[in-house]
Amino acid sequence: MKIREIFHRKTKEAKEAETVEICHERFGQCVLEKDDWGAFMLILPSLPFGKHEDVEIELDVTEEKIAAAVRCLAEIYDGQESYLTKFYEGILSFCEEWEETDSEGNAVTMELVEKNGSLFRVLVQEGGEGNMVISFSGMMFDDEGEELLGCHSVIMEIDCATGEIGYDLEG
C-alpha cells in the first residue's frame, strides 16, 4: 500500500468535529468546536482584546455551561481596558520581583509593559467552587524583543462570581 493511499484512508476515517452554535448580543453568531479533550473552542473571524489582535479564546466547559461561559467572557470584554490594566500590573509586579531590566539595564516600567506585554490566550473554565474563572495568558518582552521572566507565561485568573484576581507564572 502506498503512503498516499494510507493518508487518504485515514482522512476518510477522521470523524467530523462536534460543533455548537449560539447567538450572543456581544459576539453575534458564534460557532464552538469541541476539541479532542472535550473543551469547546470559540471560532470567530477575529476577536482582539484591546491592542492584542490574535487572542485565542478557549472555553473549557461542558455544553450545559457554554451560555454562562460566554456571558462571563462578554463581561470581561466589556471591561477590557480595566482588565488589561490589572494584567499589566501583574506583569510589572513579576518584573520587579525578578529584577528584570530593559536592554540598557533600566528597571522595567509600566510604559514598557504596556508596550511590550502580550496577551495570547483567554481561557474560560469552571472553577472548583462551580464559578466561572477566566484566565489571561501572556508574555513579557524587553525593548529588543527578548523574552523576560525566564520565558514564563504570566497568568491572571479572574473569578467571575467574586471578582477576585490572582496571578501566577507558568512554564
Side-chain angles (χ1 to χ4, degrees):
M1 186 174 280
K2 295 180 179 177
I3 301 259
R4 183 175 289 144
E5 291 172 1
I6 294 170
F7 177 73
H8 184 67
R9 189 173 57 182
K10 284 189 177 191
T11 304
K12 277 186 166 180
E13 293 171 0
K15 59 182 180 181
E16 203 168 303
E18 181 182 342
T19 60
V20 174
E21 289 188 37
I22 61 171
C23 187
H24 190 272
E25 62 186 48
R26 173 72 166 84
F27 303 115
Q29 190 69 23
C30 300
V31 177
L32 297 101
E33 185 174 291
K34 194 173 198 177
D35 67 17
D36 293 340
W37 298 275
F40 282 90
M41 296 288 292
L42 213 55
I43 302 171
L44 295 170
S46 175
L47 197 56
F49 198 94
K51 70 174 184 140
H52 307 281
E53 294 295 323
D54 296 320
V55 179
E56 178 182 305
I57 306 300
E58 183 176 343
L59 304 180
D60 186 6
V61 296
T62 60
E63 191 168 345
E64 299 79 38
K65 299 283 186 168
I66 289 174
V70 172
R71 189 172 39 254
C72 289
L73 184 64
E75 290 173 12
I76 297 299
Y77 265 82
D78 288 343
Q80 61 187 284
E81 188 175 311
S82 171
Y83 287 108
L84 274 176
T85 298
K86 292 176 192 310
F87 184 60
Y88 295 150
E89 289 169 354
I91 292 173
L92 181 60
S93 177
F94 283 122
C95 286
E96 290 170 347
E97 182 180 330
W98 283 51
E99 299 178 356
E100 293 287 8
T101 62
D102 64 15
S103 63
E104 296 179 5
N106 300 312
V108 171
T109 64
M110 182 56 87
E111 182 180 339
L112 185 65
V113 171
E114 289 172 350
K115 181 178 177 188
N116 293 349
S118 73
L119 175 66
F120 60 81
R121 184 173 98 174
V122 176
L123 168 67
V124 185
Q125 59 190 358
E126 190 173 354
E129 304 291 316
N131 300 339
M132 287 295 137
V133 175
I134 296 186
S135 301
F136 288 20
S137 298
M139 299 288 290
M140 182 59 199
F141 302 90
D142 71 8
D143 52 317
E144 292 185 347
E146 297 295 320
E147 292 182 35
L148 299 180
L149 299 171
C151 301
H152 290 83
S153 296
V154 176
I155 309 297
M156 179 177 86
E157 287 191 350
I158 307 158
D159 185 314
C160 294
T162 65
E164 291 181 36
I165 296 177
Y167 300 93
D168 204 356
L169 292 177
E170 184 177 272

